[in-house]
Amino acid sequence: MLSVVPTPITVRVPAKVNLHLSVGDTREDGYHELVTVFQALSMTDEVTVHIADEPGIEVRGEGADSVPTGPSNLAWKAVRALAERCGRDPDEPGVRVSINKGIPVAGGMAGGSADAAAALLALNHLWRLEMGRDELAGIAADIGSDVPFALQGGTALGTGRGEQLIPVLARHTFHWVIALDRRGLETPGVFSELDRLREESRPNRVGEVEPVLEALASGDPRQLALLLGNDLQAAAVSLRPGLRRTLRAGVQAGALAGIVSGSGPTCAFLCTDADAAVRVAAELSGAGVCRTVRVAQGPVPGARLVTDDRAD
Ligand code: C5P
């Protein structure tokens, strides 16, 4: 009998930066209450899923060697979660996942979460499940706090663990320079370090989120630059003191402002326009304060099929 093997499905998915990250109290489940503004950036991973006799995961590209290919990989958790939801055997899902990394690994840009979001969307098509974005977002939230945003993209206000999202109007495109560090930082360790710092002293906290939303709506990068803030920055800098030098070097190179991205150690620098970003990137890469430098723009859309460029 002739059997038709579905063609592989590829999804492109963006990195994120937190323009504002306010970390509140620790909840009973161990997570911290957050108020954050995410922006999706034009640094992407590509995730391909295909039917295979030998299920599993393979990773290539930027930092691939340090990405786990076992059950702790978030994309694999996504495969298992979706298999379970639709009544397939989660231990033998019959798919292979190939990840091509463009997002820094353990960099505070939600690369692992992005791969999980991409795997959900790709499998939804490969298995012809026809789940809507809301249903996928519900599964995404169980996999990790940043996974729903990677599906949604754009600019969004996140509350709860960061998984409850409201889209935010961002006029114009913002231009960023991204400085990648030599080694990653583990997110739980950075949250614990903030808890420790808060027991010891009173590190500064970011202000209210409303002015950030107003600056985004105005589209003025100078206004937004004054308001960038991240409560996790003190903790990331405490664990990686060299980040202070990186942050200073970006501003000296001509950026409007710099910030640690999420739990770090990646630093993101907001620039006036695309030309300025190229100039800042060139100068920063010569300053010897980071492993490599990229230019990126935001906001960009969330996870999307690249196979045929349909929106969902
Ligand atoms: O949700 P996710 O698995 O991405 O979170 C990774 C870790 O980051 C959690 O285990 C927790 O230590 C920390 N975290 C937190 N509060 C949040 C989000 C993450 O403490 N809102």
Side-chain angles (χ1 to χ4, degrees), residues 194-276:
L194 179 62
D195 292 338
R196 195 189 67 76
L197 291 176
R198 282 180 174 175
E199 270 170 28
E200 226 178 59
S201 61
R202 288 178 178 222
N204 286 342
R205 289 185 184 241
V206 299
E208 297 298 318
V209 71
E210 285 75 15
V212 180
L213 304 181
E214 283 161 23
L216 282 162
S218 81
D220 179 359
R222 285 186 178 79
Q223 197 181 330
L224 182 62
L226 297 172
L227 299 165
L228 295 176
N230 176 4
D231 279 345
L232 288 177
Q233 180 158 315
V237 169
S238 165
L239 295 170
R240 193 65 61 79
L243 291 180
R244 238 184 237 110
R245 208 154 61 99
T246 311
L247 288 165
R248 238 185 350 252
V251 173
Q252 276 163 2
L256 296 171
I259 193 173
V260 168
S261 174
S263 55
T266 304
C267 294
F269 297 94
L270 183 58
C271 300
T272 10
D273 54 32
D275 289 344

Side-chain angles (χ1 to χ4, degrees), residues 30-34 74 113 143-146 160-162 187-188 191:
Y31 282 89
H32 295 73
E33 204 61 40
L34 304 183
L74 289 183
S113 303
I143 300 168
S145 312
D146 291 337
R161 288 186 284 128
T187 306
F191 274 98

Side-chain angles (χ1 to χ4, degrees), residues 276-292:
V278 170
R279 282 196 303 273
V280 169
E283 194 163 328
L284 190 59
S285 62
V289 292
C290 54
R291 178 166 61 82
T292 186

